[in-house]
Amino acid sequence: MDAIRLSPPRRLSLPVKNRWGGGDLSVLDFGDPKRPVDLVFVHANGFNAMTYRTLLAPLSGTLRIWAPDLRGHGRTALPTERDRRRGWSDHRDDLAALLDALDGPPVVLAGHSMGGTSSLLAAAERPDAVSKLVLFDPVIWGRLSVALFQLPLFDRMASHIPLVKGALRRRAVFDSREQALAAYSGRGAFRGWPEMMIADYLTDGLVETPEGGFTLACAPEWEASNYAAQSHDPWKAMKRVGRPVRILKAEAGSTCFPSPGVKGLPNVSVEVVHGGTHFFPMLKADVARDALFDAAV
């Protein structure tokens, strides 16, 4: 088991074909390949599965874990059509295809931020493939905001969202991986991250260009599109899923509106991670890891 836990994850390629365009979904496979998949973990917007290697690898001595790169991220090769894109139905359908490909009992479906919300949306479509959900500060706006996001007028307002503006300003090209590591370390969203976790992010977060430099695997325009496309309804998904949903919510800077004791959703529990920011899976990895282990064993 120690050899399995310490070995790097295997790389799988899953063919996906749906109305959003076909291609290959890249998946990291942790743990014993002879056992069924226990847990599927989905990354946040702009990142990739490899970013969470140090979170997931210690669990792989007991669990088998699949961690996909969402469309437009990491090593996944699926089209990224931004025109008239209004929600995360593409991520939902890609994850539904992944769940369809599993050959075993229902899995724990988990994710961080956009990955958590996309997991929730997929679970509502494939509830028989999911035993429970664990969501780390998922993007779930208030009910009124979700209703407003579904109005056609919102399409014209999206460009004014600060996160959209910030993503579009993001530097996309670097001369080397070392230059990118120096640019990110201790700054912005990466403040306080272990250097190894930033290096893991860059492993699949940069793509070498023909000129010899590197560009972001997740283009700033696609990251911005994910922030802008908010017409999906996670509240409806929470009602439909019919499975236990455990939400761990950041104490500071949370993107998750539901609070402990949320009403009308008996299958949903919400806990606040005290001292945690939106990036607590990186900064308080033990809290996130314990939640995943408790759900999967």
Side-chain angles (χ1 to χ4, degrees):
M1 282 298 185
D2 285 343
I4 293 171
R5 181 175 64 83
L6 295 174
S7 63
R10 296 168 295 278
R11 293 186 182 272
L12 308 179
S13 185
L14 176 69
V16 169
K17 185 177 182 180
N18 55 35
R19 62 186 173 127
W20 312 107
D24 292 324
L25 186 73
S26 177
V27 180
L28 295 183
D29 184 10
F30 296 83
D32 186 352
K34 297 178 182 178
R35 63 176 291 130
V37 175
D38 301 287
L39 168 69
V40 173
F41 183 87
V42 188
H43 64 81
N45 186 24
F47 299 113
N48 53 65
M50 185 62 79
T51 307
Y52 301 81
R53 181 186 65 86
T54 56
L55 169 66
L56 300 174
L59 297 171
S60 65
T62 304
L63 307 174
R64 187 177 178 194
I65 304 167
W66 273 13
D69 286 335
L70 290 174
R71 183 179 295 252
H73 296 76
R75 298 198 180 191
T76 281
L78 289 167
T80 52
E81 178 57 56
R82 303 194 309 275
D83 292 344
R84 297 181 298 279
R85 182 175 184 251
R86 301 201 62 221
W88 295 347
S89 299
D90 43 10
H91 296 317
R92 176 200 68 193
D93 293 350
D94 294 341
L95 291 175
L98 182 148
L99 292 173
D100 289 342
L102 292 172
D103 183 16
V107 298
V108 174
L109 189 52
H112 177 210
S113 190
M114 182 179 76
T117 309
S118 299
S119 295
L120 173 63
L121 298 173
E125 298 296 318
R126 299 290 191 275
D128 291 344
V130 177
S131 60
K132 60 189 73 171
L133 293 106
V134 180
L135 312 180
F136 298 147
D137 212 45
V139 182
I140 302 178
W141 306 113
R143 289 182 173 91
L144 177 58
S145 296
V146 169
L148 292 174
F149 289 150
Q150 295 175 6
L151 298 175
L153 177 65
F154 183 75
D155 286 349
R156 284 174 273 171
M157 300 170 55
S159 62
H160 300 289
I161 298 174
L163 285 171
V164 172
K165 291 181 177 181
L168 291 173
R169 290 194 301 266
R170 199 172 313 289
R171 177 179 178 179
V173 179
F174 298 90
D175 295 333
S176 66
R177 293 183 182 277
E178 293 75 18
Q179 185 184 61
L181 181 62
Y184 287 138
S185 295
R187 299 179 184 177
F190 297 93
R191 190 181 303 276
W193 285 35
E195 187 172 284
M196 178 59 73
M197 187 165 266
I198 302 176
D200 283 341
Y201 156 67
L202 293 173
T203 296
D204 287 353
L206 292 177
V207 178
E208 191 166 3
T209 66
E211 297 76 23
F214 293 85
T215 187
L216 292 177
C218 178
E221 295 81 7
W222 183 247
E223 182 183 356
S225 175
N226 285 315
Y227 287 131
Q230 296 292 321
S231 70
H232 48 273
D233 190 344
W235 292 92
K236 182 178 179 181
M238 284 190 285
K239 288 184 178 180
R240 288 180 56 208
V241 69
R243 297 290 184 268
V245 180
R246 183 184 180 189
I247 295 176
L248 278 69
K249 175 178 178 176
E251 184 176 35
S254 178
T255 59
C256 180
F257 183 86
S259 296
V262 61
K263 296 181 180 179
L265 295 168
N267 60 316
V268 177
S269 65
V270 182
E271 307 159 38
V272 175
V273 178
H274 296 292
T277 68
H278 182 64
F279 294 102
F280 76 81
M282 290 77 171
L283 304 176
K284 292 179 174 287
D286 56 334
V287 173
R289 195 179 296 117
D290 286 350
L292 296 175
F293 184 78
D294 290 346
V297 296

